[in-house]
Amino acid sequence: MEERPETELISIPATPRASTPEILTPSGQRSPRLVSREAKSSAWTPTSFISPRFLSPIGTPMKRVLTNMKGYLEEVGHLTKLNPQDAWLPITESRNGNAHYAAFHNLNAGIGFQALVLPVAFAFLGWSWGIFSLTIAYIWQLYTLWILVQLHEAVPGKRYNRYIELAQAAFGERLGVWLALFPTVYLSAGTATALILIGGETMKLFFQIVCGIHCRSNPLTTVEWYLVFTSLCIVLSQLPNLNSIAGLSLMGAVTAITYSTMVWVLSVSRQRPPTISYHPIPQPSSAASVFAVLNALGIIAFAFRGHNLVLEIQATMPSTFKHPAHVPMWKGAKAAYFFIAMCLFPIAIGGYWAYGNLMPSGGILNALYAFHSHDIPKGLLAMAFLLVVFNCLSSFQIYSMPAFDSFEASYTSRTNRPCSVWVRSGFRVFYGFVSLLIGVALPFLSSLAGLLGGLTLPVTFAYPCFMWVLLKQPAKHSFSWYFHWILGWLGIAFSMAFSIGGIWSMVSNGLELKFFKPS
């Protein structure tokens, strides 16, 4: 008789519709899926034999034992292979997440510096098309977010704890990596680099506002401020796993909501520039107008990021037969995206109302500094900049966590043991300073919102639709089948178009854009 591997537990057979066994989590929880009434009545499960008909001839003590066993099986689900590596990695090391943690993480990942450039898109689109595009993008990305939450436990016997794992299950091992690796890595590493640039420049502005003329004799250079900000990020990155940064995510969410509200309230409460106009910024040619519109749409698409972290956030939650992880995850995501809408729409509409087509390329915070730095109390202006710094510090942690997870997964798979404190710390120091070097070498990264939005758009708007069709397999030529295929290919087409618009904007502006331009 063939000997079982030590890492495999005895599996109880079940039909795919009746249960969803999964990899054993570090907390010992497992996550079978809920089943419909029809499935319960028609499909066999390991507890089907514990029925009233079966129990009727058995005595009361035995009946109690079997009933308790049935409840236990329904609670913990069905066992499958043990993957000890999950207990060693930052994303799946802790499984005590809940709906509140999900709301904090989604808010921290979903709102940030990219919201500040939304009025720039309105300056090219105008009122009607700007509001229409922002509304459609919000509804679209909220639906694909729901798809990812539902697909986390789509296949029996597996929880897809990372975006790339779900892509491999849907598109195949090799194609899934090719399709998902670049945009997800670019979203994580590119965003971390952009956060270093924006955080360092904002710290410099904050220092100038607070110190005034008394600290201008020998100030730090911009690169030195980048180094200061990176050092703070590295210190905070020593927190071990995704659940351990829930407090930082809460801080990031609160600061993002606060400074977003402050910025648009301060903008609309001040007198508008006398030469303001709400006509779209004129372009020298029809082709330039088309490219400008595409770049503006790419900026709107870039405002909705964070889908590359949805599965990772859901992986931090326990999941059982009666209490699957998608319930608290979706509850937290709905709360988070309510507040995200309360920030994005006022910034876009209020910022465009306050500055019109005079909006600088750096966004509303740049406009506030340029037009009202002399008539706004220094304390309020300094507080807004300080909140931006705090938000960038916390956002760096959640966007860097997939990179930390990848480093440690490579190490643990080679050595078959968890990372020590020094190895983990070394990976994070290395990642922080590599991001700093990239930011110093390519200081225009933070200005390429349109191009970044185009390149990473499939992660948010296209891939989840394809994954739904390939994994859920709706009836061919049904409404769901047509709807998701059309939505997915529209996302791919928009990605290509927005990328072209972003490249045009990059070339036409000579790669000299900045989010914040200290005077």
Side-chain angles (χ1 to χ4, degrees), residues 55-394:
L55 292 176
S56 56
I58 301 180
T60 302
M62 178 62 96
K63 192 183 297 185
R64 280 194 199 132
V65 171
L66 293 176
T67 302
N68 291 337
M69 184 176 71
K70 176 182 178 181
Y72 175 77
L73 289 174
E74 288 179 347
E75 178 64 28
V76 303
H78 305 289
L79 306 182
T80 186
K81 291 183 180 180
L82 174 67
N83 185 4
Q85 191 181 17
D86 271 352
W88 301 338
L89 302 180
I91 289 175
T92 50
E93 188 175 52
S94 174
R95 297 272 194 172
N96 60 354
N98 52 45
H100 297 92
Y101 284 15
F104 301 157
H105 289 317
N106 278 287
L107 259 174
N108 191 25
I111 187 170
F113 70 90
Q114 77 281 3
L116 301 175
V117 294
L118 281 175
V120 179
F122 275 54
F124 291 98
L125 297 174
W127 281 117
S128 300
W129 284 108
I131 295 175
F132 176 77
S133 302
L134 186 60
T135 304
I136 293 298
Y138 178 81
I139 296 172
W140 190 347
Q141 62 86 33
L142 193 61
Y143 176 67
T144 56
L145 176 70
W146 176 84
I147 288 178
L148 290 175
V149 171
Q150 297 300 316
L151 292 181
H152 179 75
E153 299 176 77
V155 176
K158 180 72 175 175
R159 281 182 75 178
Y160 297 110
N161 297 318
R162 296 157 186 86
Y163 195 98
I164 292 181
E165 292 178 8
L166 184 61
Q168 288 178 305
F171 304 121
E173 292 290 330
R174 292 187 178 180
L175 183 60
V177 171
W178 281 104
L179 290 177
L181 184 61
F182 171 75
T184 54
V185 169
Y186 202 80
L187 270 173
S188 296
T191 301
T193 301
L195 287 168
I196 289 176
L197 300 179
I198 296 164
E201 291 168 357
T202 310
M203 288 181 73
K204 181 178 181 179
L205 283 178
F206 171 77
F207 188 75
Q208 290 178 355
I209 293 171
V210 172
C211 290
I213 60 175
H214 303 291
C215 301
R216 294 183 179 177
S217 58
N218 190 22
L220 296 178
T221 65
T222 303
V223 175
E224 289 172 336
W225 281 112
Y226 292 162
L227 180 60
V228 172
F229 183 83
T230 304
S231 301
L232 293 175
C233 289
I234 290 173
V235 171
L236 292 175
S237 69
Q238 302 309 310
L239 293 171
N241 54 60
L242 191 53
N243 266 338
S244 66
I245 65 169
L248 286 178
S249 290
L250 175 60
M251 181 188 74
V254 171
T255 54
I257 294 172
T258 305
Y259 79 69
S260 298
T261 305
M262 284 182 60
V263 166
W264 73 262
V265 168
L266 288 174
S267 296
V268 300
S269 63
R270 304 294 161 176
Q271 186 175 3
R272 289 179 289 177
T275 58
I276 191 173
S277 172
Y278 296 110
H279 296 289
I281 297 175
Q283 301 297 322
S285 64
S286 300
S289 299
V290 172
F291 288 134
V293 169
L294 293 176
N295 182 61
L297 293 174
I299 292 174
I300 291 177
F302 183 61
F304 298 105
R305 55 174 191 170
H307 282 52
N308 60 310
L309 297 169
V310 170
L311 297 173
E312 285 80 351
I313 295 171
Q314 194 168 347
T316 64
M317 299 179 179
S319 188
T320 66
F321 192 85
K322 290 184 178 179
H323 305 286
H326 69 81
V327 175
M329 178 62 188
W330 181 237
K331 189 182 297 184
K334 285 190 296 183
Y337 275 83
F338 170 79
F339 286 105
I340 289 173
M342 294 298 101
C343 293
L344 296 186
F345 283 88
I347 284 179
I349 297 173
Y352 186 55
W353 181 88
Y355 306 109
N357 60 7
L358 299 178
M359 176 65 62
S361 59
I364 187 172
L365 193 57
N366 194 0
L368 186 68
Y369 187 82
F371 289 102
H372 302 298
S373 59
H374 301 294
D375 59 349
I376 291 179
K378 286 186 176 181
L380 280 178
L381 202 58
M383 182 181 295
F385 287 138
L386 185 61
L387 291 173
V388 172
V389 173
F390 286 157
N391 176 253
C392 290
L393 285 171
S394 59

Side-chain angles (χ1 to χ4, degrees), residues 140 143 147 465 468-469 477-490:
W140 190 347
Y143 176 67
I147 288 178
C465 301
W468 181 267
V469 174
H477 304 303
S478 64
F479 172 78
S480 177
W481 188 85
Y482 279 117
F483 177 74
H484 289 97
W485 276 117
I486 292 173
L487 209 59
W489 284 114
L490 276 177

Side-chain angles (χ1 to χ4, degrees), residues 448-519:
L448 306 183
L451 180 59
L452 294 178
L455 292 176
T456 59
L457 183 145
V459 171
T460 302
F461 295 95
Y463 290 165
C465 301
F466 294 142
M467 292 171 180
W468 181 267
V469 174
L470 295 173
L471 292 176
K472 289 294 186 178
Q473 297 182 350
K476 199 170 184 180
H477 304 303
S478 64
F479 172 78
S480 177
W481 188 85
Y482 279 117
F483 177 74
H484 289 97
W485 276 117
I486 292 173
L487 209 59
W489 284 114
L490 276 177
I492 296 297
F494 286 151
S495 174
M496 297 175 65
F498 298 168
S499 298
I500 293 172
I503 293 172
W504 170 86
S505 176
M506 180 179 66
V507 173
S508 63
N509 288 280
L511 300 178
E512 295 177 354
L513 300 180
K514 285 279 188 181
F515 268 109
F516 309 119
K517 298 178 181 179
S519 60

